Amino acid sequence: MLDKLEAIEANFVDIERKLSDPEIISNQKRYQELLKKHHQLKDGVDLYCRYKTVISGIEEAEDLLKDPELGEMAKEEWECLKKERLEIQKDLQIFMIPSDPDDHRNALVEIRSGTGGDEAALFAYELYRMYVRYSESLGWKVETMSQNMTELGGVKEISFTITGNGVYSRLKFESGTHRVQRVPNTETQGRVHTSAATVAIMPEADDDVDISLDPKDIRVDTYRASGSGGQHVNKTDSAVRITHLESGLAVACQDERSQFQNKEKAMRLLKTRLYEKMVADRMISQAANRKLQVGTGDRSQKIRTYNFPQGRVTDHRINLTLYNLGDILTGKMQEVVDALIGADRLDKMKEQ
């Protein structure tokens, strides 16, 4: 590990040198690439520098242990530094875990109501609101791409993008089937019903993703946008549906008043959906030899249950149970998100 860290430090120093090169600065694309790499390496390099300082301090303290006057003080310092060394070694192990190449990306989120009819649609809307509030707490921006609302205020399906720092890295483990257990408002017997909604978190394909769409490979259809209950939002064919002929993937957008804006959004959606297929293949390959498989991204995987009678949220992948359902549904998801990230890191550390 130390040899790898030495190489990383040398690479970091070389990047810092290049970032002050006028020729690199004038090439904004290259400059931004190096700046991103610099940001990715900085914390690890700082840790490694601290590690070397601690090792040096331990060696100096060991030299003083036999000194009759300074030995007691040196022993105390020696013990503190040894404890710090272990903590830094653990942090360095985490830093050395290969990062997901999509962690820096924004995310496209799709939520669909599943079994449970109107109750499932209401639950799907609550999940949407949970992610919006969590995003707002972190200063992320949420933009609705398309939605299909019910008359009772639920959603049959909703797609939205979340833009911010490290969005995909924090939300990627939310993909899967979410179940809710509660007494619906329409239930006269007071019986607990189980409903479900599926969540898909996809890394948004930006300009650095090499996916070219030939106009001959897609079909663009326009239609009149409508709201819940069939009420027309406008009287023009502003809604857009784009179909990728080779894969059969189809995306639609109707939230903007302009056909041009809806087409632009739909193209972003299509590019992201095509990129998702590439990412899914990679994740399946990576997960084949893993036991935990927190990040398979399979929409059919039952990942979490929200039990209202008990005020309980259980994540089945890591056997995490919390009794603060109300807080979680209002966007206070930090404990769940951190636990999933920690479990994934631990699993990867075992593979090293």
Side-chain angles (χ1 to χ4, degrees), residues 310-346:
Q310 298 176 16
R312 167 176 61 82
V313 175
T314 299
D315 195 290
H316 306 291
R317 295 163 295 178
I318 56 175
N319 296 318
L320 173 71
T321 295
L322 301 171
Y323 289 90
N324 58 344
L325 182 148
D327 288 341
I328 290 171
L329 286 176
T330 56
K332 296 173 183 175
M333 299 170 54
Q334 204 69 25
E335 189 172 359
V336 179
V337 171
D338 286 344
L340 288 164
I341 292 173
D344 184 63
R345 283 177 175 171
L346 182 62

PDB file of all heavy atoms in Angstrom, residues 310-346:
ATOM      1  N   GLN A 310     -45.335   0.837  13.580  1.00  0.00           N
ATOM      2  CA  GLN A 310     -44.190   0.770  14.497  1.00  0.00           C
ATOM      3  C   GLN A 310     -43.255   1.971  14.374  1.00  0.00           C
ATOM      4  O   GLN A 310     -42.278   2.063  15.111  1.00  0.00           O
ATOM      5  CB  GLN A 310     -43.398  -0.515  14.227  1.00  0.00           C
ATOM      6  CG  GLN A 310     -44.191  -1.790  14.462  1.00  0.00           C
ATOM      7  CD  GLN A 310     -43.410  -3.038  14.091  1.00  0.00           C
ATOM      8  OE1 GLN A 310     -42.189  -3.014  13.941  1.00  0.00           O
ATOM      9  NE2 GLN A 310     -44.109  -4.152  13.938  1.00  0.00           N
ATOM     10  N   GLY A 311     -43.537   2.873  13.428  1.00  0.00           N
ATOM     11  CA  GLY A 311     -42.644   4.017  13.203  1.00  0.00           C
ATOM     12  C   GLY A 311     -41.249   3.569  12.803  1.00  0.00           C
ATOM     13  O   GLY A 311     -40.257   4.208  13.140  1.00  0.00           O
ATOM     14  N   ARG A 312     -41.189   2.458  12.049  1.00  0.00           N
ATOM     15  CA  ARG A 312     -39.918   1.787  11.785  1.00  0.00           C
ATOM     16  C   ARG A 312     -39.537   1.842  10.309  1.00  0.00           C
ATOM     17  O   ARG A 312     -40.370   1.698   9.426  1.00  0.00           O
ATOM     18  CB  ARG A 312     -40.019   0.322  12.234  1.00  0.00           C
ATOM     19  CG  ARG A 312     -38.915  -0.588  11.751  1.00  0.00           C
ATOM     20  CD  ARG A 312     -39.073  -1.986  12.337  1.00  0.00           C
ATOM     21  NE  ARG A 312     -40.320  -2.631  11.969  1.00  0.00           N
ATOM     22  CZ  ARG A 312     -40.519  -3.269  10.816  1.00  0.00           C
ATOM     23  NH1 ARG A 312     -39.557  -3.313   9.900  1.00  0.00           N
ATOM     24  NH2 ARG A 312     -41.676  -3.841  10.572  1.00  0.00           N
ATOM     25  N   VAL A 313     -38.239   2.014  10.070  1.00  0.00           N
ATOM     26  CA  VAL A 313     -37.672   1.882   8.729  1.00  0.00           C
ATOM     27  C   VAL A 313     -36.583   0.816   8.797  1.00  0.00           C
ATOM     28  O   VAL A 313     -35.679   0.901   9.626  1.00  0.00           O
ATOM     29  CB  VAL A 313     -37.070   3.214   8.226  1.00  0.00           C
ATOM     30  CG1 VAL A 313     -36.372   3.005   6.885  1.00  0.00           C
ATOM     31  CG2 VAL A 313     -38.149   4.275   8.087  1.00  0.00           C
ATOM     32  N   THR A 314     -36.683  -0.194   7.939  1.00  0.00           N
ATOM     33  CA  THR A 314     -35.693  -1.279   7.918  1.00  0.00           C
ATOM     34  C   THR A 314     -35.086  -1.394   6.536  1.00  0.00           C
ATOM     35  O   THR A 314     -35.813  -1.534   5.548  1.00  0.00           O
ATOM     36  CB  THR A 314     -36.342  -2.631   8.297  1.00  0.00           C
ATOM     37  OG1 THR A 314     -36.867  -2.543   9.624  1.00  0.00           O
ATOM     38  CG2 THR A 314     -35.318  -3.753   8.239  1.00  0.00           C
ATOM     39  N   ASP A 315     -33.760  -1.330   6.472  1.00  0.00           N
ATOM     40  CA  ASP A 315     -33.060  -1.595   5.218  1.00  0.00           C
ATOM     41  C   ASP A 315     -32.574  -3.041   5.278  1.00  0.00           C
ATOM     42  O   ASP A 315     -31.733  -3.391   6.107  1.00  0.00           O
ATOM     43  CB  ASP A 315     -31.888  -0.635   5.017  1.00  0.00           C
ATOM     44  CG  ASP A 315     -31.391  -0.649   3.580  1.00  0.00           C
ATOM     45  OD1 ASP A 315     -30.803  -1.674   3.173  1.00  0.00           O
ATOM     46  OD2 ASP A 315     -31.611   0.335   2.853  1.00  0.00           O
ATOM     47  N   HIS A 316     -33.120  -3.868   4.400  1.00  0.00           N
ATOM     48  CA  HIS A 316     -32.902  -5.313   4.481  1.00  0.00           C
ATOM     49  C   HIS A 316     -31.511  -5.747   4.028  1.00  0.00           C
ATOM     50  O   HIS A 316     -31.058  -6.835   4.373  1.00  0.00           O
ATOM     51  CB  HIS A 316     -33.971  -6.040   3.662  1.00  0.00           C
ATOM     52  CG  HIS A 316     -35.370  -5.654   4.050  1.00  0.00           C
ATOM     53  ND1 HIS A 316     -35.922  -5.993   5.257  1.00  0.00           N
ATOM     54  CD2 HIS A 316     -36.306  -4.911   3.398  1.00  0.00           C
ATOM     55  CE1 HIS A 316     -37.150  -5.508   5.336  1.00  0.00           C
ATOM     56  NE2 HIS A 316     -37.399  -4.845   4.226  1.00  0.00           N
ATOM     57  N   ARG A 317     -30.812  -4.915   3.272  1.00  0.00           N
ATOM     58  CA  ARG A 317     -29.495  -5.308   2.766  1.00  0.00           C
ATOM     59  C   ARG A 317     -28.441  -5.306   3.854  1.00  0.00           C
ATOM     60  O   ARG A 317     -27.504  -6.105   3.848  1.00  0.00           O
ATOM     61  CB  ARG A 317     -29.074  -4.363   1.635  1.00  0.00           C
ATOM     62  CG  ARG A 317     -29.956  -4.450   0.409  1.00  0.00           C
ATOM     63  CD  ARG A 317     -29.767  -3.237  -0.476  1.00  0.00           C
ATOM     64  NE  ARG A 317     -30.212  -2.015   0.174  1.00  0.00           N
ATOM     65  CZ  ARG A 317     -30.123  -0.798  -0.357  1.00  0.00           C
ATOM     66  NH1 ARG A 317     -29.599  -0.648  -1.556  1.00  0.00           N
ATOM     67  NH2 ARG A 317     -30.566   0.257   0.299  1.00  0.00           N
ATOM     68  N   ILE A 318     -28.576  -4.384   4.805  1.00  0.00           N
ATOM     69  CA  ILE A 318     -27.546  -4.264   5.841  1.00  0.00           C
ATOM     70  C   ILE A 318     -28.131  -4.487   7.239  1.00  0.00           C
ATOM     71  O   ILE A 318     -27.489  -4.174   8.242  1.00  0.00           O
ATOM     72  CB  ILE A 318     -26.837  -2.898   5.771  1.00  0.00           C
ATOM     73  CG1 ILE A 318     -27.848  -1.744   5.877  1.00  0.00           C
ATOM     74  CG2 ILE A 318     -26.027  -2.778   4.485  1.00  0.00           C
ATOM     75  CD1 ILE A 318     -27.203  -0.372   5.943  1.00  0.00           C
ATOM     76  N   ASN A 319     -29.381  -4.990   7.285  1.00  0.00           N
ATOM     77  CA  ASN A 319     -30.054  -5.258   8.564  1.00  0.00           C
ATOM     78  C   ASN A 319     -30.061  -4.036   9.477  1.00  0.00           C
ATOM     79  O   ASN A 319     -29.828  -4.139  10.689  1.00  0.00           O
ATOM     80  CB  ASN A 319     -29.391  -6.442   9.285  1.00  0.00           C
ATOM     81  CG  ASN A 319     -29.526  -7.735   8.503  1.00  0.00           C
ATOM     82  OD1 ASN A 319     -30.581  -8.014   7.950  1.00  0.00           O
ATOM     83  ND2 ASN A 319     -28.451  -8.515   8.440  1.00  0.00           N
ATOM     84  N   LEU A 320     -30.339  -2.880   8.896  1.00  0.00           N
ATOM     85  CA  LEU A 320     -30.418  -1.634   9.663  1.00  0.00           C
ATOM     86  C   LEU A 320     -31.878  -1.332   9.961  1.00  0.00           C
ATOM     87  O   LEU A 320     -32.710  -1.284   9.054  1.00  0.00           O
ATOM     88  CB  LEU A 320     -29.801  -0.484   8.856  1.00  0.00           C
ATOM     89  CG  LEU A 320     -29.965   0.915   9.463  1.00  0.00           C
ATOM     90  CD1 LEU A 320     -29.095   1.063  10.711  1.00  0.00           C
ATOM     91  CD2 LEU A 320     -29.626   1.998   8.441  1.00  0.00           C
ATOM     92  N   THR A 321     -32.197  -1.139  11.234  1.00  0.00           N
ATOM     93  CA  THR A 321     -33.552  -0.762  11.630  1.00  0.00           C
ATOM     94  C   THR A 321     -33.499   0.519  12.460  1.00  0.00           C
ATOM     95  O   THR A 321     -32.746   0.611  13.433  1.00  0.00           O
ATOM     96  CB  THR A 321     -34.231  -1.885  12.446  1.00  0.00           C
ATOM     97  OG1 THR A 321     -34.395  -3.041  11.612  1.00  0.00           O
ATOM     98  CG2 THR A 321     -35.602  -1.445  12.932  1.00  0.00           C
ATOM     99  N   LEU A 322     -34.292   1.503  12.056  1.00  0.00           N
ATOM    100  CA  LEU A 322     -34.367   2.776  12.757  1.00  0.00           C
ATOM    101  C   LEU A 322     -35.827   3.063  13.094  1.00  0.00           C
ATOM    102  O   LEU A 322     -36.732   2.694  12.349  1.00  0.00           O
ATOM    103  CB  LEU A 322     -33.810   3.912  11.879  1.00  0.00           C
ATOM    104  CG  LEU A 322     -32.350   3.773  11.426  1.00  0.00           C
ATOM    105  CD1 LEU A 322     -32.019   4.851  10.397  1.00  0.00           C
ATOM    106  CD2 LEU A 322     -31.400   3.874  12.614  1.00  0.00           C
ATOM    107  N   TYR A 323     -36.049   3.719  14.221  1.00  0.00           N
ATOM    108  CA  TYR A 323     -37.409   4.036  14.651  1.00  0.00           C
ATOM    109  C   TYR A 323     -37.670   5.542  14.585  1.00  0.00           C
ATOM    110  O   TYR A 323     -38.168   6.148  15.527  1.00  0.00           O
ATOM    111  CB  TYR A 323     -37.654   3.492  16.065  1.00  0.00           C
ATOM    112  CG  TYR A 323     -37.752   1.987  16.091  1.00  0.00           C
ATOM    113  CD1 TYR A 323     -36.613   1.201  16.270  1.00  0.00           C
ATOM    114  CD2 TYR A 323     -38.964   1.342  15.879  1.00  0.00           C
ATOM    115  CE1 TYR A 323     -36.698  -0.187  16.259  1.00  0.00           C
ATOM    116  CE2 TYR A 323     -39.054  -0.050  15.876  1.00  0.00           C
ATOM    117  CZ  TYR A 323     -37.916  -0.806  16.063  1.00  0.00           C
ATOM    118  OH  TYR A 323     -38.000  -2.180  16.041  1.00  0.00           O
ATOM    119  N   ASN A 324     -37.307   6.124  13.451  1.00  0.00           N
ATOM    120  CA  ASN A 324     -37.556   7.547  13.215  1.00  0.00           C
ATOM    121  C   ASN A 324     -38.134   7.753  11.820  1.00  0.00           C
ATOM    122  O   ASN A 324     -37.682   8.593  11.059  1.00  0.00           O
ATOM    123  CB  ASN A 324     -36.275   8.358  13.397  1.00  0.00           C
ATOM    124  CG  ASN A 324     -35.149   7.901  12.472  1.00  0.00           C
ATOM    125  OD1 ASN A 324     -35.205   6.813  11.897  1.00  0.00           O
ATOM    126  ND2 ASN A 324     -34.131   8.740  12.318  1.00  0.00           N
ATOM    127  N   LEU A 325     -39.168   6.965  11.502  1.00  0.00           N
ATOM    128  CA  LEU A 325     -39.775   6.982  10.169  1.00  0.00           C
ATOM    129  C   LEU A 325     -40.213   8.393   9.765  1.00  0.00           C
ATOM    130  O   LEU A 325     -39.997   8.819   8.631  1.00  0.00           O
ATOM    131  CB  LEU A 325     -40.964   6.013  10.136  1.00  0.00           C
ATOM    132  CG  LEU A 325     -41.691   5.857   8.799  1.00  0.00           C
ATOM    133  CD1 LEU A 325     -42.240   4.443   8.663  1.00  0.00           C
ATOM    134  CD2 LEU A 325     -42.849   6.839   8.672  1.00  0.00           C
ATOM    135  N   GLY A 326     -40.832   9.121  10.697  1.00  0.00           N
ATOM    136  CA  GLY A 326     -41.300  10.474  10.386  1.00  0.00           C
ATOM    137  C   GLY A 326     -40.183  11.385   9.936  1.00  0.00           C
ATOM    138  O   GLY A 326     -40.324  12.134   8.961  1.00  0.00           O
ATOM    139  N   ASP A 327     -39.051  11.328  10.642  1.00  0.00           N
ATOM    140  CA  ASP A 327     -37.899  12.167  10.281  1.00  0.00           C
ATOM    141  C   ASP A 327     -37.360  11.787   8.906  1.00  0.00           C
ATOM    142  O   ASP A 327     -37.035  12.665   8.090  1.00  0.00           O
ATOM    143  CB  ASP A 327     -36.786  12.024  11.326  1.00  0.00           C
ATOM    144  CG  ASP A 327     -37.136  12.708  12.630  1.00  0.00           C
ATOM    145  OD1 ASP A 327     -38.030  13.565  12.630  1.00  0.00           O
ATOM    146  OD2 ASP A 327     -36.515  12.371  13.655  1.00  0.00           O
ATOM    147  N   ILE A 328     -37.249  10.498   8.657  1.00  0.00           N
ATOM    148  CA  ILE A 328     -36.688  10.032   7.380  1.00  0.00           C
ATOM    149  C   ILE A 328     -37.551  10.494   6.206  1.00  0.00           C
ATOM    150  O   ILE A 328     -37.051  10.985   5.196  1.00  0.00           O
ATOM    151  CB  ILE A 328     -36.524   8.505   7.382  1.00  0.00           C
ATOM    152  CG1 ILE A 328     -35.385   8.113   8.345  1.00  0.00           C
ATOM    153  CG2 ILE A 328     -36.232   7.971   5.977  1.00  0.00           C
ATOM    154  CD1 ILE A 328     -35.257   6.641   8.604  1.00  0.00           C
ATOM    155  N   LEU A 329     -38.874  10.374   6.353  1.00  0.00           N
ATOM    156  CA  LEU A 329     -39.768  10.779   5.267  1.00  0.00           C
ATOM    157  C   LEU A 329     -39.791  12.292   5.057  1.00  0.00           C
ATOM    158  O   LEU A 329     -40.223  12.761   3.994  1.00  0.00           O
ATOM    159  CB  LEU A 329     -41.185  10.268   5.522  1.00  0.00           C
ATOM    160  CG  LEU A 329     -41.392   8.768   5.297  1.00  0.00           C
ATOM    161  CD1 LEU A 329     -42.813   8.363   5.671  1.00  0.00           C
ATOM    162  CD2 LEU A 329     -41.088   8.369   3.857  1.00  0.00           C
ATOM    163  N   THR A 330     -39.301  13.050   6.021  1.00  0.00           N
ATOM    164  CA  THR A 330     -39.200  14.502   5.821  1.00  0.00           C
ATOM    165  C   THR A 330     -37.803  14.893   5.334  1.00  0.00           C
ATOM    166  O   THR A 330     -37.435  16.066   5.361  1.00  0.00           O
ATOM    167  CB  THR A 330     -39.538  15.276   7.111  1.00  0.00           C
ATOM    168  OG1 THR A 330     -38.683  14.829   8.175  1.00  0.00           O
ATOM    169  CG2 THR A 330     -40.980  15.089   7.505  1.00  0.00           C
ATOM    170  N   GLY A 331     -37.026  13.887   4.885  1.00  0.00           N
ATOM    171  CA  GLY A 331     -35.747  14.182   4.253  1.00  0.00           C
ATOM    172  C   GLY A 331     -34.528  14.012   5.128  1.00  0.00           C
ATOM    173  O   GLY A 331     -33.401  14.217   4.665  1.00  0.00           O
ATOM    174  N   LYS A 332     -34.718  13.615   6.385  1.00  0.00           N
ATOM    175  CA  LYS A 332     -33.569  13.434   7.280  1.00  0.00           C
ATOM    176  C   LYS A 332     -33.039  12.010   7.119  1.00  0.00           C
ATOM    177  O   LYS A 332     -33.182  11.154   7.990  1.00  0.00           O
ATOM    178  CB  LYS A 332     -33.972  13.726   8.718  1.00  0.00           C
ATOM    179  CG  LYS A 332     -34.395  15.187   8.911  1.00  0.00           C
ATOM    180  CD  LYS A 332     -34.954  15.457  10.292  1.00  0.00           C
ATOM    181  CE  LYS A 332     -35.431  16.906  10.412  1.00  0.00           C
ATOM    182  NZ  LYS A 332     -36.096  17.179  11.713  1.00  0.00           N
ATOM    183  N   MET A 333     -32.399  11.790   5.977  1.00  0.00           N
ATOM    184  CA  MET A 333     -31.957  10.451   5.569  1.00  0.00           C
ATOM    185  C   MET A 333     -30.488  10.185   5.839  1.00  0.00           C
ATOM    186  O   MET A 333     -29.976   9.130   5.477  1.00  0.00           O
ATOM    187  CB  MET A 333     -32.196  10.280   4.055  1.00  0.00           C
ATOM    188  CG  MET A 333     -33.610  10.390   3.596  1.00  0.00           C
ATOM    189  SD  MET A 333     -33.651  10.454   1.783  1.00  0.00           S
ATOM    190  CE  MET A 333     -32.729   8.968   1.360  1.00  0.00           C
ATOM    191  N   GLN A 334     -29.798  11.136   6.446  1.00  0.00           N
ATOM    192  CA  GLN A 334     -28.346  11.058   6.554  1.00  0.00           C
ATOM    193  C   GLN A 334     -27.863   9.757   7.184  1.00  0.00           C
ATOM    194  O   GLN A 334     -26.898   9.142   6.705  1.00  0.00           O
ATOM    195  CB  GLN A 334     -27.829  12.253   7.373  1.00  0.00           C
ATOM    196  CG  GLN A 334     -26.389  12.627   7.107  1.00  0.00           C
ATOM    197  CD  GLN A 334     -26.210  13.222   5.709  1.00  0.00           C
ATOM    198  OE1 GLN A 334     -27.132  13.772   5.128  1.00  0.00           O
ATOM    199  NE2 GLN A 334     -25.021  13.072   5.156  1.00  0.00           N
ATOM    200  N   GLU A 335     -28.543   9.319   8.238  1.00  0.00           N
ATOM    201  CA  GLU A 335     -28.100   8.111   8.949  1.00  0.00           C
ATOM    202  C   GLU A 335     -28.202   6.878   8.058  1.00  0.00           C
ATOM    203  O   GLU A 335     -27.317   6.012   8.058  1.00  0.00           O
ATOM    204  CB  GLU A 335     -28.927   7.910  10.218  1.00  0.00           C
ATOM    205  CG  GLU A 335     -28.396   6.809  11.126  1.00  0.00           C
ATOM    206  CD  GLU A 335     -29.101   6.749  12.462  1.00  0.00           C
ATOM    207  OE1 GLU A 335     -30.003   7.586  12.708  1.00  0.00           O
ATOM    208  OE2 GLU A 335     -28.767   5.860  13.273  1.00  0.00           O
ATOM    209  N   VAL A 336     -29.283   6.799   7.276  1.00  0.00           N
ATOM    210  CA  VAL A 336     -29.462   5.664   6.371  1.00  0.00           C
ATOM    211  C   VAL A 336     -28.420   5.697   5.260  1.00  0.00           C
ATOM    212  O   VAL A 336     -27.766   4.688   4.962  1.00  0.00           O
ATOM    213  CB  VAL A 336     -30.877   5.685   5.753  1.00  0.00           C
ATOM    214  CG1 VAL A 336     -31.052   4.508   4.791  1.00  0.00           C
ATOM    215  CG2 VAL A 336     -31.945   5.643   6.825  1.00  0.00           C
ATOM    216  N   VAL A 337     -28.252   6.862   4.650  1.00  0.00           N
ATOM    217  CA  VAL A 337     -27.302   7.016   3.542  1.00  0.00           C
ATOM    218  C   VAL A 337     -25.882   6.700   4.002  1.00  0.00           C
ATOM    219  O   VAL A 337     -25.152   5.950   3.343  1.00  0.00           O
ATOM    220  CB  VAL A 337     -27.373   8.447   2.956  1.00  0.00           C
ATOM    221  CG1 VAL A 337     -26.249   8.680   1.951  1.00  0.00           C
ATOM    222  CG2 VAL A 337     -28.722   8.684   2.288  1.00  0.00           C
ATOM    223  N   ASP A 338     -25.487   7.238   5.157  1.00  0.00           N
ATOM    224  CA  ASP A 338     -24.130   7.004   5.673  1.00  0.00           C
ATOM    225  C   ASP A 338     -23.899   5.526   5.986  1.00  0.00           C
ATOM    226  O   ASP A 338     -22.810   4.993   5.758  1.00  0.00           O
ATOM    227  CB  ASP A 338     -23.885   7.833   6.938  1.00  0.00           C
ATOM    228  CG  ASP A 338     -23.689   9.312   6.632  1.00  0.00           C
ATOM    229  OD1 ASP A 338     -23.449   9.656   5.455  1.00  0.00           O
ATOM    230  OD2 ASP A 338     -23.777  10.133   7.565  1.00  0.00           O
ATOM    231  N   ALA A 339     -24.931   4.853   6.526  1.00  0.00           N
ATOM    232  CA  ALA A 339     -24.803   3.428   6.858  1.00  0.00           C
ATOM    233  C   ALA A 339     -24.593   2.586   5.597  1.00  0.00           C
ATOM    234  O   ALA A 339     -23.781   1.660   5.586  1.00  0.00           O
ATOM    235  CB  ALA A 339     -26.037   2.954   7.611  1.00  0.00           C
ATOM    236  N   LEU A 340     -25.293   2.923   4.527  1.00  0.00           N
ATOM    237  CA  LEU A 340     -25.151   2.182   3.272  1.00  0.00           C
ATOM    238  C   LEU A 340     -23.785   2.408   2.642  1.00  0.00           C
ATOM    239  O   LEU A 340     -23.143   1.472   2.157  1.00  0.00           O
ATOM    240  CB  LEU A 340     -26.262   2.594   2.301  1.00  0.00           C
ATOM    241  CG  LEU A 340     -27.660   2.088   2.653  1.00  0.00           C
ATOM    242  CD1 LEU A 340     -28.722   2.856   1.888  1.00  0.00           C
ATOM    243  CD2 LEU A 340     -27.774   0.593   2.376  1.00  0.00           C
ATOM    244  N   ILE A 341     -23.324   3.653   2.667  1.00  0.00           N
ATOM    245  CA  ILE A 341     -21.992   3.960   2.130  1.00  0.00           C
ATOM    246  C   ILE A 341     -20.920   3.241   2.941  1.00  0.00           C
ATOM    247  O   ILE A 341     -19.985   2.657   2.398  1.00  0.00           O
ATOM    248  CB  ILE A 341     -21.745   5.487   2.131  1.00  0.00           C
ATOM    249  CG1 ILE A 341     -22.661   6.163   1.102  1.00  0.00           C
ATOM    250  CG2 ILE A 341     -20.281   5.803   1.825  1.00  0.00           C
ATOM    251  CD1 ILE A 341     -22.612   7.678   1.148  1.00  0.00           C
ATOM    252  N   GLY A 342     -21.070   3.259   4.281  1.00  0.00           N
ATOM    253  CA  GLY A 342     -20.102   2.590   5.150  1.00  0.00           C
ATOM    254  C   GLY A 342     -20.067   1.084   4.919  1.00  0.00           C
ATOM    255  O   GLY A 342     -18.988   0.476   4.886  1.00  0.00           O
ATOM    256  N   ALA A 343     -21.244   0.474   4.733  1.00  0.00           N
ATOM    257  CA  ALA A 343     -21.310  -0.970   4.492  1.00  0.00           C
ATOM    258  C   ALA A 343     -20.659  -1.327   3.164  1.00  0.00           C
ATOM    259  O   ALA A 343     -19.959  -2.335   3.051  1.00  0.00           O
ATOM    260  CB  ALA A 343     -22.764  -1.434   4.511  1.00  0.00           C
ATOM    261  N   ASP A 344     -20.875  -0.503   2.165  1.00  0.00           N
ATOM    262  CA  ASP A 344     -20.272  -0.748   0.854  1.00  0.00           C
ATOM    263  C   ASP A 344     -18.750  -0.634   0.922  1.00  0.00           C
ATOM    264  O   ASP A 344     -18.026  -1.445   0.348  1.00  0.00           O
ATOM    265  CB  ASP A 344     -20.840   0.248  -0.156  1.00  0.00           C
ATOM    266  CG  ASP A 344     -20.340  -0.006  -1.569  1.00  0.00           C
ATOM    267  OD1 ASP A 344     -20.632  -1.087  -2.109  1.00  0.00           O
ATOM    268  OD2 ASP A 344     -19.641   0.866  -2.123  1.00  0.00           O
ATOM    269  N   ARG A 345     -18.257   0.368   1.642  1.00  0.00           N
ATOM    270  CA  ARG A 345     -16.802   0.543   1.800  1.00  0.00           C
ATOM    271  C   ARG A 345     -16.191  -0.652   2.530  1.00  0.00           C
ATOM    272  O   ARG A 345     -15.128  -1.149   2.138  1.00  0.00           O
ATOM    273  CB  ARG A 345     -16.518   1.831   2.578  1.00  0.00           C
ATOM    274  CG  ARG A 345     -16.660   3.102   1.756  1.00  0.00           C
ATOM    275  CD  ARG A 345     -16.439   4.311   2.635  1.00  0.00           C
ATOM    276  NE  ARG A 345     -16.456   5.548   1.872  1.00  0.00           N
ATOM    277  CZ  ARG A 345     -16.467   6.765   2.413  1.00  0.00           C
ATOM    278  NH1 ARG A 345     -16.474   6.889   3.739  1.00  0.00           N
ATOM    279  NH2 ARG A 345     -16.473   7.832   1.649  1.00  0.00           N
ATOM    280  N   LEU A 346     -16.856  -1.089   3.590  1.00  0.00           N
ATOM    281  CA  LEU A 346     -16.346  -2.227   4.359  1.00  0.00           C
ATOM    282  C   LEU A 346     -16.282  -3.464   3.477  1.00  0.00           C
ATOM    283  O   LEU A 346     -15.305  -4.223   3.519  1.00  0.00           O
ATOM    284  CB  LEU A 346     -17.250  -2.473   5.567  1.00  0.00           C
ATOM    285  CG  LEU A 346     -16.833  -3.606   6.505  1.00  0.00           C
ATOM    286  CD1 LEU A 346     -15.474  -3.315   7.132  1.00  0.00           C
ATOM    287  CD2 LEU A 346     -17.888  -3.803   7.607  1.00  0.00           C
TER     288      LEU A 346
END
